[in-house]
Amino acid sequence: MPADPVYRAGEPQRSTTSQPPGGSRASAIEVRRSARRRRTVSAYREGDRTVVLIPARMSEAEEQRWVTVMLDKLAAQESRKMLGDAELAERAERLSAQYFAGRARPASVRWVTNQNTRWGSCTPAEGSIRLSHRLQGMPEYVVDYVLCHELAHLLVPGHGPDFWRLLESYPRTERARGYLEGVVAAARLPHVPGARGERDT
């Protein structure tokens, strides 16, 4: 998928329209299927509706997943909010208090630009958490999930059952993981960072 996922494409083969999930600023979602479109998915605003362009052979389940992913991408682009390192550290402190009873206390939390196959990393011995700059502009609940993932590593280093049980305290874990999996698939990265068994998010 191109670096900018929001762009217009060729003529559709079939189109369906539905109402968006609660909270979307668009009044309707139009999904256009195209036989010429092989793998890429894109979306754009057209008046009061959101148009999502997908390959014609995509299943209904895949369509629903991609509509959610693309709505989140558009929302992130439209309300892009860049947190600095200080704000990121404050956010991590709030998340620790809310989901880990304040037990996860990072010494530093900062953005880095050298993590292109991981969303975040943690060095428990130093108490340092680093988030990939690629998360900037993504929905807040996704950034919060990655922060929670790394905060949980300050308490449980590996990805065993205890770690996943701890991370379940963050209620949007599955949705955030689904969003990131969609981003990875769209970018055709070699693997999904943070999958069970991986060392980092």
Side-chain angles (χ1 to χ4, degrees), residues 99-100 141-142 144-149 152 163-181 194 196:
Y99 299 111
F100 306 115
Y141 75 89
V142 176
D144 285 352
Y145 161 71
V146 178
L147 276 172
C148 283
H149 188 113
F163 172 83
W164 293 107
R165 275 194 296 271
L166 186 63
L167 193 55
E168 284 173 2
S169 63
Y170 180 63
R172 305 184 84 177
T173 288
E174 289 307 315
R175 183 179 179 194
R177 285 180 58 78
Y179 180 95
L180 292 173
E181 286 169 0
R196 292 177 188 254

Coordinates of all heavy atoms in Angstrom, one line a residue, residues 99-100 141-142 144-149 152 163-181 194 196:
Y99 N -4.4 1.4 34.9 CA -4.5 0.0 34.6 C -3.5 -0.9 35.4 O -3.7 -2.1 35.4 CB -4.3 -0.2 33.1 CG -5.3 0.5 32.3 CD1 -5.0 1.6 31.5 CD2 -6.6 0.1 32.3 CE1 -5.9 2.3 30.7 CE2 -7.6 0.7 31.5 CZ -7.2 1.8 30.8 OH -8.2 2.5 30.0
F100 N -2.5 -0.3 36.0 CA -1.5 -1.2 36.7 C -1.3 -0.7 38.1 O -0.3 -1.0 38.7 CB -0.2 -1.2 36.0 CG -0.3 -1.6 34.5 CD1 0.0 -0.7 33.5 CD2 -0.7 -2.9 34.2 CE1 -0.1 -1.1 32.2 CE2 -0.8 -3.2 32.8 CZ -0.5 -2.3 31.8
Y141 N -6.2 5.5 21.2 CA -6.3 4.2 21.8 C -5.2 3.2 21.4 O -4.8 2.3 22.1 CB -7.7 3.5 21.6 CG -7.9 3.0 20.3 CD1 -7.6 1.6 20.0 CD2 -8.5 3.7 19.3 CE1 -7.9 1.1 18.7 CE2 -8.8 3.2 18.0 CZ -8.5 1.9 17.7 OH -8.7 1.4 16.5
V142 N -4.7 3.4 20.1 CA -3.6 2.6 19.6 C -2.3 2.9 20.3 O -1.5 2.1 20.8 CB -3.4 2.7 18.1 CG1 -2.2 1.9 17.6 CG2 -4.7 2.2 17.4
D144 N -2.0 4.3 23.2 CA -2.2 3.9 24.6 C -1.9 2.4 24.7 O -1.3 2.0 25.7 CB -3.6 4.2 25.1 CG -3.8 5.7 25.4 OD1 -2.8 6.4 25.3 OD2 -4.9 6.1 25.7
Y145 N -2.4 1.6 23.8 CA -2.1 0.2 23.8 C -0.6 -0.1 23.8 O -0.1 -0.9 24.6 CB -2.8 -0.6 22.7 CG -2.2 -1.9 22.5 CD1 -2.4 -3.0 23.4 CD2 -1.3 -2.2 21.4 CE1 -1.8 -4.2 23.2 CE2 -0.7 -3.4 21.2 CZ -1.0 -4.4 22.1 OH -0.4 -5.7 22.0
V146 N 0.1 0.5 22.9 CA 1.5 0.3 22.9 C 2.2 0.7 24.1 O 3.1 0.0 24.7 CB 2.2 1.0 21.6 CG1 3.7 0.7 21.6 CG2 1.5 0.4 20.3
L147 N 1.8 1.9 24.7 CA 2.3 2.3 26.0 C 2.0 1.3 27.1 O 2.9 0.9 27.9 CB 1.8 3.6 26.4 CG 2.4 4.9 25.8 CD1 1.6 6.1 26.1 CD2 3.9 5.0 26.3
C148 N 0.8 0.8 27.1 CA 0.4 -0.2 28.1 C 1.2 -1.5 27.9 O 1.7 -2.1 28.9 CB -1.1 -0.6 28.0 SG -2.1 0.7 28.8
H149 N 1.5 -1.9 26.7 CA 2.3 -3.1 26.4 C 3.7 -3.0 27.0 O 4.1 -3.9 27.7 CB 2.3 -3.3 24.9 CG 3.0 -4.6 24.4 ND1 2.3 -5.6 23.8 CD2 4.3 -5.0 24.5 CE1 3.1 -6.6 23.5 NE2 4.3 -6.3 24.0
A152 N 3.6 -2.9 30.8 CA 3.5 -4.2 31.4 C 4.8 -4.9 31.4 O 5.0 -5.8 32.3 CB 2.4 -5.0 30.5
F163 N 2.0 -12.1 31.5 CA 2.1 -10.8 30.7 C 0.7 -10.5 30.1 O 0.2 -9.4 30.2 CB 3.2 -10.9 29.7 CG 3.2 -9.7 28.8 CD1 3.8 -8.5 29.2 CD2 2.6 -9.7 27.6 CE1 3.8 -7.4 28.4 CE2 2.5 -8.6 26.7 CZ 3.2 -7.4 27.1
W164 N 0.2 -11.5 29.3 CA -1.1 -11.2 28.6 C -2.2 -11.0 29.6 O -3.1 -10.2 29.3 CB -1.3 -12.4 27.6 CG -0.3 -12.4 26.5 CD1 0.7 -13.3 26.4 CD2 -0.2 -11.4 25.5 NE1 1.5 -12.9 25.3 CE2 1.0 -11.8 24.7 CE3 -0.9 -10.3 25.1 CZ2 1.4 -11.1 23.6 CZ3 -0.5 -9.6 24.0 CH2 0.6 -10.0 23.2
R165 N -2.2 -11.7 30.7 CA -3.3 -11.4 31.7 C -3.2 -10.0 32.2 O -4.2 -9.3 32.4 CB -3.2 -12.4 32.8 CG -3.9 -13.8 32.6 CD -4.1 -14.6 33.9 NE -2.8 -15.0 34.4 CZ -2.2 -16.1 34.1 NH1 -2.7 -16.9 33.2 NH2 -1.0 -16.4 34.6
L166 N -2.0 -9.5 32.4 CA -1.8 -8.2 32.9 C -2.3 -7.2 31.9 O -2.9 -6.2 32.2 CB -0.3 -8.0 33.2 CG 0.1 -6.6 33.9 CD1 -0.5 -6.5 35.2 CD2 1.6 -6.6 34.0
L167 N -1.9 -7.4 30.6 CA -2.3 -6.5 29.5 C -3.8 -6.5 29.3 O -4.3 -5.5 28.8 CB -1.5 -6.8 28.3 CG -1.5 -5.8 27.1 CD1 -1.0 -4.4 27.6 CD2 -0.7 -6.3 26.0
E168 N -4.5 -7.5 29.6 CA -5.9 -7.6 29.4 C -6.7 -6.5 30.2 O -7.8 -6.2 30.0 CB -6.5 -8.9 29.8 CG -6.2 -10.0 28.8 CD -6.7 -11.4 29.3 OE1 -7.2 -11.5 30.4 OE2 -6.4 -12.3 28.5
S169 N -6.0 -5.9 31.2 CA -6.6 -4.8 32.0 C -6.9 -3.6 31.1 O -7.8 -2.8 31.4 CB -5.7 -4.4 33.2 OG -4.5 -3.9 32.7
Y170 N -6.2 -3.4 30.0 CA -6.4 -2.4 29.1 C -7.6 -2.8 28.1 O -7.4 -3.8 27.4 CB -5.2 -2.0 28.2 CG -5.5 -0.9 27.2 CD1 -5.8 0.4 27.7 CD2 -5.4 -1.1 25.9 CE1 -6.1 1.4 26.8 CE2 -5.6 -0.1 25.0 CZ -6.0 1.2 25.4 OH -6.3 2.2 24.5
P171 N -8.8 -2.2 28.2 CA -9.9 -2.8 27.5 C -9.9 -2.7 26.0 O -10.7 -3.5 25.4 CB -11.1 -1.9 28.1 CG -10.4 -0.6 28.5 CD -9.0 -1.0 28.9
R172 N -9.0 -2.0 25.4 CA -9.1 -1.9 23.9 C -7.9 -2.6 23.3 O -7.5 -2.3 22.2 CB -9.1 -0.4 23.5 CG -10.2 0.4 24.1 CD -10.3 1.8 23.7 NE -11.1 1.9 22.4 CZ -11.4 3.0 21.8 NH1 -11.0 4.1 22.4 NH2 -12.1 3.0 20.7
T173 N -7.3 -3.6 24.0 CA -6.2 -4.3 23.5 C -6.5 -5.0 22.2 O -5.7 -4.8 21.2 CB -5.8 -5.4 24.6 OG1 -5.1 -4.7 25.7 CG2 -4.7 -6.3 24.0
E174 N -7.6 -5.7 22.1 CA -7.8 -6.5 20.9 C -8.1 -5.5 19.7 O -7.6 -5.8 18.6 CB -9.0 -7.4 21.1 CG -8.7 -8.6 21.9 CD -7.4 -9.4 21.5 OE1 -7.3 -9.6 20.3 OE2 -6.6 -9.7 22.3
R175 N -8.8 -4.5 19.9 CA -9.1 -3.5 18.8 C -7.8 -2.9 18.4 O -7.6 -2.7 17.2 CB -10.1 -2.4 19.3 CG -10.4 -1.5 18.2 CD -11.4 -0.4 18.6 NE -11.7 0.4 17.4 CZ -12.3 1.6 17.5 NH1 -12.8 2.0 18.7 NH2 -12.5 2.3 16.4
A176 N -6.9 -2.5 19.3 CA -5.7 -1.8 18.9 C -4.8 -2.8 18.2 O -4.1 -2.4 17.2 CB -5.0 -1.3 20.2
R177 N -4.7 -4.1 18.6 CA -3.9 -5.1 17.9 C -4.4 -5.3 16.5 O -3.7 -5.4 15.6 CB -3.9 -6.4 18.7 CG -3.0 -6.3 19.9 CD -3.0 -7.6 20.7 NE -2.6 -8.7 19.8 CZ -1.3 -9.0 19.5 NH1 -0.3 -8.2 20.0 NH2 -1.0 -10.0 18.8
G178 N -5.8 -5.3 16.4 CA -6.4 -5.4 15.0 C -6.0 -4.3 14.1 O -5.7 -4.5 12.9
Y179 N -6.0 -3.1 14.7 CA -5.6 -1.9 13.9 C -4.2 -2.0 13.4 O -3.9 -1.8 12.3 CB -5.8 -0.6 14.8 CG -5.4 0.6 14.1 CD1 -6.4 1.4 13.4 CD2 -4.1 1.1 14.0 CE1 -6.1 2.6 12.8 CE2 -3.8 2.3 13.4 CZ -4.8 3.0 12.7 OH -4.5 4.2 12.1
L180 N -3.3 -2.4 14.4 CA -1.9 -2.5 14.0 C -1.6 -3.6 13.0 O -0.8 -3.5 12.1 CB -1.0 -2.7 15.3 CG -0.9 -1.5 16.2 CD1 -0.2 -1.8 17.5 CD2 -0.3 -0.3 15.5
E181 N -2.3 -4.7 13.1 CA -2.2 -5.8 12.2 C -2.6 -5.3 10.8 O -2.0 -5.7 9.8 CB -3.1 -7.0 12.6 CG -2.4 -7.7 13.8 CD -3.4 -8.8 14.4 OE1 -4.5 -8.9 13.9 OE2 -3.0 -9.5 15.3
G194 N 5.0 -7.5 17.9 CA 4.2 -7.7 19.1 C 3.3 -8.9 19.1 O 2.5 -9.1 20.1
R196 N 2.3 -12.8 19.8 CA 2.7 -13.6 20.9 C 4.0 -14.4 20.5 O 4.1 -14.9 19.4 CB 1.6 -14.6 21.2 CG 0.4 -14.0 21.8 CD -0.7 -14.9 22.1 NE -2.0 -14.2 22.5 CZ -2.4 -14.2 23.7 NH1 -1.8 -14.8 24.7 NH2 -3.5 -13.6 24.0

